[in-house]
Amino acid sequence: IGVENVGGTADLPLTKAQLKSNIWLVRYLSEKYNIEYLIGHYEYANFEGHPLWLEIDSGYRTEKTDPGPEFMEKVRKATKNLNFKPVPQ
């Protein structure tokens, strides 16, 4: 399940309302679905070599920087009790 936030740049930073909404949405979705990992867009390449990794077109890969470590740290802290698996390093 992918969630896209509008913003996340120096010119248009993510807001407290977006953080609160993301936390609520993660909690809601985790009640409905068996979610194992909570990752930021910028962390997707950490799964390269992982059994969940599937790359059909290596030329399609892009570098992602959103929503950023600080935002994800706050979401993870607020949803720690959901016991998501750690993101591969």
Side-chain angles (χ1 to χ4, degrees), residues 28-66:
Y28 172 78
L29 291 172
S30 70
E31 289 177 10
K32 292 186 64 106
Y33 304 101
N34 182 24
I35 299 172
E36 295 182 39
Y37 295 92
L38 176 64
I39 70 168
H41 213 170
Y42 69 98
E43 297 170 306
Y44 84 97
N46 291 13
F47 281 86
E48 188 170 1
H50 188 277
L52 294 176
W53 183 263
L54 174 62
E55 183 171 60
I56 297 171
D57 180 357
S58 61
Y60 180 75
R61 190 183 299 197
T62 58
E63 189 173 322
K64 304 292 184 181
T65 59
D66 60 315

